[in-house]
Amino acid sequence: MGFVYSQLFVQLPYPTGSYAGKTIVVTGSNTGLGKEAARHYARLGASRIILAVRSIDKGNVAKADIESTTSCGEKTIEVWQLDMGSYASVKDFAAKLQSKLGRVDIFNANAGLAKTKYNLVEDNEEMITVNVISTFLLAALVLPKLKETANRFNVQPTLAITSSGAHAFAKFPQKDAAEGQIFNTINDPNASQKVFGEQYPLSKLLEIFAVRSIGEKDLGVTVNCLSPGFCESELARDADGIAFPMMKFFLARTTEKGSRTVVHAGSCGSETHGKYLSDCKVAEPAAIVTGPEGRKLQERLWDELTQKLEAIQPGVTANFRS
Ligand SMILES: NC(=O)c1ccc[n+]([C@@H]2O[C@H](COP(=O)([O-])OP(=O)(O)OC[C@H]3O[C@@H](n4cnc5c(N)ncnc54)[C@H](OP(=O)(O)O)[C@@H]3O)[C@@H](O)[C@H]2O)c1
């Protein structure tokens, strides 16, 4: 009932205020929540907005669309290539960000996908690579620029990861795997086949666990995660049948309304560090996170995740420390 109430009756605050002087990066911003979040930032006067997208053509269409509906002009928005299905692309993007941007005030790590079939991308099932491993690889690689921004301009930048309320649907049987084997079990096509419907929720649950681990260190940068609620977007582009479109018809927020949660989380301060936000407020994630086994599970997952990130880019996880 809480979900239905939230979808139908909660009023999300329309973003206001000025973002003048701020440089903002939004990943997955050629469409959906990311594009509408970028449109809010453009409307509110952000000085520089990077649309981080896997298709430059689609990014350019989004840029033209945002420019035509705001008075941001032609120089505010830039389209940069980022394919979260490729660790090399994540590294290239982060290197460009480090060298080309003088500051980053808000980084919305929003790109994500929901698949109905198993695909191996890099060394994991695709949703695990894109939503989890690449998202935290990217976070680690851009944190130095956010920390530098904090020190140079005496501000507290924010890195907000778009998670999901759907995380609560993950029963996560793979958590009972032997020590060091949780990700291997999640990625095992035979093991995951039995619970593949839960793979997307699980990827979003893993994001929440990781943000809580990052939140244990004072970085001078806020790292939080958010649920946008259930929204109109292209996320379920692979889904078939009529159940999902029906549910969408009755319950989904508009993309613009959902994007308010993305802008809100990106605009929050240190009180949200390590926290999960829902309906534009700090909220409790599911009991699997906060319950008696949550702490131990968080530590096991963080150990495995950081080992995977170190294998991709040795030394990178030091960026999660103060
Ligand atoms: N809509 C909802 O109800 C809902 C609910 C909870 C959470 N979320 C989360 O919200 C975020 C945004 O999703 P959305 O609903 O706006 O869906 P969307 O309309 O499908 O947008 C997803 C964005 O992520 C990008 N993306 C996907 N795979 C990528 C990759 N490998 N590399 C780079 N970019 C990639 C997509 O680019 P392409 O267009 O090129 O594929 C697109 O720009 C996701 O993290 C999603 O999990 C959505």
Side-chain angles (χ1 to χ4, degrees):
M1 285 314 289
F3 167 71
V4 174
Y5 179 82
S6 161
Q7 289 297 125
L8 298 181
F9 301 113
V10 168
Q11 301 291 322
L12 301 167
Y14 190 67
T16 56
S18 171
Y19 289 74
K22 293 193 189 301
T23 296
I24 300 169
V25 182
V26 187
T27 74
S29 42
N30 56 286
T31 186
L33 300 172
K35 180 169 113 175
E36 294 314 311
R39 197 190 309 277
H40 280 302
Y41 292 129
R43 176 179 59 79
L44 295 170
S47 296
R48 196 168 180 184
I49 300 170
I50 311 297
L51 304 184
V53 296
R54 64 174 152 176
S55 155
I56 292 286
D57 287 349
K58 287 188 191 175
N60 282 330
V61 173
K63 170 177 151 73
D65 178 27
I66 296 171
E67 285 169 353
S68 71
T69 56
T70 64
S71 52
C72 72
E74 284 176 15
K75 294 208 173 118
T76 304
I77 301 175
E78 294 165 47
V79 179
W80 289 17
Q81 219 269 333
L82 169 67
D83 180 358
M84 302 278 285
S86 155
Y87 299 148
S89 172
V90 173
K91 289 186 199 180
D92 287 350
F93 176 86
K96 181 173 175 185
L97 178 142
Q98 186 60 38
S99 69
K100 299 266 188 237
L101 297 184
R103 63 189 294 163
V104 175
D105 299 275
I106 298 174
F107 193 104
N108 281 117
N110 167 78
L113 83 183
K115 304 294 279 188
T116 51
K117 292 199 176 62
Y118 187 103
N119 280 318
L120 188 68
V121 171
E122 293 283 8
D123 49 344
N124 308 280
E125 184 282 319
E126 187 172 6
M127 288 181 276
I128 301 302
T129 288
V130 172
N131 299 354
V132 186
I133 308 300
S134 283
T135 295
F136 288 94
L137 176 65
L138 184 61
L141 289 170
V142 302
L143 269 172
K145 179 56 76 177
L146 276 75
K147 290 179 185 174
E148 188 190 308
T149 304
N151 292 332
R152 263 183 82 193
F153 302 102
N154 197 24
V155 292
Q156 173 117 1
T158 298
L159 190 157
I161 294 171
T162 308
S163 177
S164 173
H167 77 274
F169 299 123
K171 293 192 197 76
F172 198 6
Q174 301 94 330
K175 70 182 183 317
D176 299 322
E179 207 57 35
Q181 292 302 315
I182 298 181
F183 273 93
N184 282 345
T185 312
I186 291 169
N187 284 319
D188 178 340
N190 296 320
S192 77
Q193 202 64 32
K194 294 177 206 137
V195 282
F196 199 69
E198 290 179 16
Q199 190 85 338
Y200 171 76
L202 176 56
S203 71
K204 296 287 151 180
L205 175 65
L206 298 178
E207 291 177 341
I208 295 172
F209 273 118
V211 165
R212 284 167 80 90
S213 289
I214 296 168
E216 290 175 3
K217 297 275 185 296
D218 179 6
L219 304 174
V221 172
T222 299
V223 179
N224 62 32
C225 61
L226 69 122
S227 161
F230 177 45
C231 312
E232 292 282 354
S233 78
E234 295 180 32
L235 188 67
R237 53 186 100 170
D238 282 2
D240 33 48
I242 62 152
F244 197 75
M246 289 273 284
M247 193 175 147
K248 225 176 181 180
F249 179 77
F250 287 111
L251 289 175
R253 290 174 173 162
T254 65
T255 319
E256 184 283 311
K257 286 198 172 127
S259 76
R260 298 178 192 181
T261 64
V262 176
V263 173
H264 172 267
S267 311
C268 278
S270 57
E271 72 286 354
T272 64
H273 188 48
K275 300 276 189 335
Y276 168 72
L277 303 164
S278 180
D279 289 341
C280 297
K281 289 193 288 262
V282 171
E284 286 281 285
I288 192 166
V289 180
T290 56
E293 62 176 350
R295 175 78 220 171
K296 177 79 188 127
L297 191 50
Q298 181 185 316
E299 283 167 13
R300 288 184 67 198
L301 287 166
W302 186 242
D303 254 23
E304 289 197 31
L305 175 61
T306 49
Q307 277 178 41
K308 285 176 87 70
L309 298 182
E310 285 292 320
I312 300 164
Q313 176 76 52
V316 74
T317 60
N319 297 343
F320 291 128
R321 296 196 276 275
S322 314

